[in-house]
Amino acid sequence: MNGPEIFVSVVPELELFVPHTRRGGAAVALVTDGVSTLGHVIESLGVPLTEVGALVVDGREVAFGHIPVAGERVEVRAVVRPQRVEGAPLRFLLDVHLGTLARRLRLLGVDSAYESTDIGDPALATRSAAERRVMLSRDRGLLRRRELWAGAYVYSDRPDEQLRDVLGRFTPELRPWTRCTACNGLLREARKEDVADRLEGGTRGTYDVFAQCRACGRVYWRGAHHDRLEGIVERAVAEFGG
Ligand SMILES: [Zn+2]
């Protein structure tokens, strides 16, 4: 590029996205092409625009469409938490790598669609737009797609941290034990006699409280994994409200 030189600084929360030479908070020179928008320039540095809360030029916030002019000093700020998503009920779409996070969000009653097969970035982005779901991903290329309704980078590769990341960022309403962890369908209470044919003999004898998924028919009861799941629910509700 051979155009105006600007000076760009990135807040610490976003430093993981940019080259090492641009970390540490200092404003580092960058030569632009004179026609690209500032949003495009920042995205080209590696920062997904889903993670940018504001672009501040010489102390004044500008739109992503701002065309940089020589000598401008640009500060790239992180999205403010909690983040409000306007225009539709809060619901999510998770990519193929986030299956554990999807099941935990469903356990907490958060509407979380998940593709267990890799349907490809265009199809995911299209579904995000069609169903107005916030796309959750660790794939920066996917988060750059313009079709997305909304998106968010998931900062950790550990499910516990991923869950705290998403709950803290979007503060969804938590309604534990209301959703099928397998398919995201809503659960209804079920009588033992109505679900008996779906149960093993031992389960039929030992447990009394049942729920059934309205969508896929799967039956839930307080069984072997319940204590571990209860722990996940209790920690989430204690920190992020019920
Ligand atoms: Zn289900």
Side-chain angles (χ1 to χ4, degrees):
M1 285 193 278
N2 184 23
E5 183 181 61
I6 61 175
F7 300 88
V8 179
S9 63
V10 176
V11 294
E13 299 96 303
L14 300 178
E15 282 186 345
L16 75 156
F17 298 116
V18 299
H20 283 274
T21 51
R22 294 192 170 277
R23 298 179 188 178
V28 179
L30 177 74
V31 177
T32 70
D33 62 8
V35 294
S36 293
T37 65
L38 187 55
H40 180 80
V41 169
I42 299 307
E43 200 169 55
S44 298
L45 283 179
V47 184
L49 296 184
T50 58
E51 307 311 299
V52 175
L55 296 174
V56 178
V57 173
D58 295 330
R60 185 173 55 88
E61 187 172 338
V62 302
F64 288 169
H66 173 79
I67 309 291
V69 175
E72 285 183 340
R73 302 185 78 82
V74 180
E75 183 187 349
V76 184
R77 294 183 183 169
V79 86
V80 175
R81 298 179 178 225
Q83 180 181 0
R84 292 275 158 262
V85 178
E86 307 290 343
L90 183 59
R91 51 195 170 209
F92 298 101
L93 173 63
L94 289 79
D95 78 15
V96 66
H97 303 293
L98 298 175
T100 302
L101 176 61
R103 286 188 294 278
R104 291 186 181 190
L105 286 168
R106 291 169 178 174
L107 178 68
L108 295 166
V110 178
D111 186 343
S112 302
Y114 163 68
E115 297 286 352
S116 61
T117 55
D118 193 352
I119 63 173
D121 289 1
L124 279 170
T126 299
R127 184 172 181 193
S128 162
E131 300 179 12
R132 295 189 171 188
R133 291 179 179 275
V134 179
M135 184 79 236
L136 300 180
S137 181
R138 288 176 49 74
D139 179 345
R140 286 189 251 175
L142 174 56
L143 294 177
R144 286 178 71 148
R145 297 199 74 92
R146 294 288 176 250
E147 314 94 289
L148 290 179
W149 157 249
Y153 183 79
V154 175
Y155 283 78
S156 177
D157 55 8
R158 296 181 47 239
D160 287 350
E161 281 304 309
Q162 291 174 344
L163 186 63
R164 295 186 69 248
D165 180 10
V166 174
L167 297 182
R169 178 163 176 175
F170 293 101
T171 60
E173 183 185 359
L174 303 186
R175 306 182 69 193
W177 314 109
T178 60
R179 230 170 243 284
C180 177
T181 55
C183 84
N184 196 40
L186 289 169
L187 302 184
R188 61 163 171 247
E189 282 185 35
R191 293 178 305 174
K192 187 187 282 194
E193 52 266 40
D194 294 337
V195 297
D197 59 331
R198 290 172 170 268
L199 303 174
E200 310 263 332
T203 304
R204 196 156 52 222
T206 311
Y207 300 104
D208 283 319
V209 179
F210 294 89
Q212 186 170 29
C213 175
R214 295 170 189 267
C216 76
R218 183 173 164 142
V219 175
Y220 290 82
W221 65 92
R222 290 175 184 255
H225 304 295
H226 192 81
D227 286 351
R228 191 179 63 82
L229 299 180
E230 186 81 64
I232 293 171
V233 168
E234 282 180 3
R235 282 193 297 277
V237 169
E239 187 167 3
F240 300 104

